[in-house]
Amino acid sequence: MMHKATAAHVGIIMDGNGRWAQQRGLARAQGHTEGLKAAKRIVKAAADLGVQFLTLYVFSTENWKRAADEVGPIMALLKQHLRAELDFYRENNLRIRHAGDAGGLPPDIQSELAGAIEDTKGFSGMQVVLAINYGGRNEIARAVRRLFAAEAAQRAAQGGGGGFSEGDIARFLDNPDVPDPDLIIRSAGEFRTSNFMLWQSAYSEYYVSQKFWPDWDRADLEAALESFSGRARPFGGARAG
Ligand code: IPE
Ligand code: IPE
Ligand code: MG
């Protein structure tokens, strides 16, 4: 009897907010407001569909290149919603986590983020990893820095110390207990990672949707999960059958 593979960890590169707004003659910031509504729809759908970990690419280390009249409203949305969505988190039993360089965020966003993480640490349902000021290369660089610091401390304490393994680096990534993503979805038709989970995506399946992110709904997530469930994943081994 065949069981359909389910994606335990889904990552989403939520792209196309700007184009969605521009098509309607609206400011790009309006696209981000609609994008937030889509994110809430998809978080709820993912939890209902049994996804255990959902990583949302919210703001990249490169997105600071954008104009102040776009970055400002994005930060304002984060400030307004990150912690204030506690009822939504509670209703859906969501545990909020963060990936990225928190120290590079404005202090008010840092404190809202820390508050959301603290408020939801006891919720036992789906874990939602918010990638904010996140870059895959930045994460690996920070991991290696932490690894060197830990190694130096150990060498000072006991002498010796050897080379670093893949596992050593993985242990110092932002959320080492979170399994690698099974499926990475990108909306708005672009076929690139844009620096999302470079280390963890070594064997992730990709799914690209043409729809702009603000137009996403439950059926789009279901279609992505359905596509995933039919794929063979040999992980470098010989394909069965
Ligand atoms: C994704 O939508 C949201 C962020 C990167 C913050 P975009 O704003 O990149 O939308 P497009 O790609 O310009 O349409
Ligand atoms: C990736 O989208 C970042 C997020 C979705 C937060 P971008 O729109 O920034 O990526 P590029 O610039 O098209 O590669
Ligand atoms: Mg984009």
Side-chain angles (χ1 to χ4, degrees), residues 202-222:
Y203 279 97
S204 301
E205 297 295 323
Y206 280 86
Y207 180 89
V208 173
S209 150
Q210 294 302 315
K211 262 196 193 180
F212 295 146
W213 179 249
D215 290 328
W216 262 63
D217 62 24
R218 172 183 291 255
D220 297 296
L221 180 65
E222 284 172 349

Side-chain angles (χ1 to χ4, degrees), residues 13-22 28 31-32 57-60 63 66 70 74 186-188 190 192 212-214:
I13 302 167
M14 306 182 292
D15 198 18
N17 292 350
R19 279 164 281 177
W20 182 93
Q22 276 159 348
R28 294 178 59 85
H32 298 306
Y57 204 2
V58 174
F59 193 86
S60 77
N63 286 147
R66 299 189 183 197
E70 179 170 0
I74 292 173
R186 183 161 186 153
S187 59
E190 309 295 344
R192 57 177 170 268
F212 295 146
W213 179 249

Side-chain angles (χ1 to χ4, degrees), residues 17 44 48 67 109 124 131 220 238:
N17 292 350
K44 189 171 176 15
D48 292 347
I109 307 290
S124 58
D220 297 296

